């Protein structure tokens, strides 16, 4: 089953999860037994480390920007590696559709590019940074269709 892993450094890795035991494979990639599931798009699930924030795992700006763009509003911070799978109408985990794969990869590339640009031209404030990143992510998602 095709899925993605988005790491805190905005690296996106294609995964081929076993259909029979996808949950164990997801836990292995997120490196945590108790996973939270975030549904920010009707056809996708983000499998998130349940205590990532409390444990001080690095923020995952790429996954945050993607989830926020899908939801259409800024969300709470996400931390640690995050696995993205598809979601059936009944809520079961399934293969991630190609258009959503493209969303994730485009947003992650934009996050990497933006962070690189910010080293030379830092944003004026945290609010400006959030707004800039969200605008870019929304553009990436809209340009590839919902």
């Amino acid at each position: 089953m095709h899925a993605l892993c988005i790491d805190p450094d905005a690296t996106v890795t294609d995964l081929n999860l076993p259909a029979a035991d996808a949950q164990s494979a997801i836990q292995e990639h997120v490196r945590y037994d108790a996973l939270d599931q975030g549904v920010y798009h009707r056809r996708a699930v983000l499998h998130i480390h349940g205590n990532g924030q409390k444990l001080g795992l690095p923020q995952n700006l790429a996954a945050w920007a993607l989830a926020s763009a899908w939801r259409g509003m800024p969300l709470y911070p996400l931390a640690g590696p995050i696995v993205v799978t598809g979601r059936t109408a009944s809520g079961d985990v399934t293969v991630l559709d190609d258009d959503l794969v493209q969303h994730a990869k485009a947003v992650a590339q934009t996050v990497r590019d933006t962070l690189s640009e910010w080293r030379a031209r830092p944003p004026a404030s945290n609010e400006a940074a959030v707004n800039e990143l969200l605008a870019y992510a929304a553009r990436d998602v809209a340009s590839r269709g919902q």
Side-chain angles (χ1 to χ4, degrees):
M1 171 176 42
H2 187 242
L4 297 175
C5 183
I6 304 174
D7 284 312
D9 67 357
T11 300
V12 178
T13 306
D14 289 287
L15 303 176
N16 187 15
L17 303 175
D21 196 13
Q23 191 65 25
S24 291
I26 292 167
Q27 288 171 332
E28 186 176 309
H29 286 284
V30 176
R31 300 178 202 112
Y32 192 63
D33 290 338
L35 298 176
D36 288 340
Q37 292 186 343
V39 178
Y40 308 103
H41 190 287
R42 70 185 186 287
R43 294 184 287 127
V45 177
L46 273 66
H47 303 269
I48 303 164
H49 191 296
N51 288 322
Q53 286 286 117
K54 288 181 183 178
L55 294 175
L57 295 181
Q59 280 194 329
N60 193 323
L61 289 177
W64 169 83
L66 176 66
S68 295
W70 279 344
R71 185 56 73 145
M73 59 188 258
L75 299 171
Y76 47 84
L78 302 175
I82 294 173
V83 172
V84 185
T85 62
R87 179 178 181 271
T88 65
S90 63
D92 294 327
V93 171
T94 190
V95 63
L96 187 61
D97 291 336
D98 289 340
D99 61 330
L100 301 183
V101 169
Q102 293 309 310
H103 289 180
K105 290 182 177 184
V107 168
Q109 183 61 54
T110 294
V111 168
R112 288 191 302 271
D113 293 346
T114 303
L115 292 176
S116 178
E117 290 173 17
W118 285 350
R119 287 184 193 94
R121 180 197 51 86
S125 66
N126 189 47
E127 183 180 354
V130 166
N131 290 336
E132 183 178 355
L133 204 51
L134 287 177
Y136 293 152
R139 176 206 61 203
D140 289 343
V141 166
S143 71
R144 286 159 178 80
Q146 285 281 344

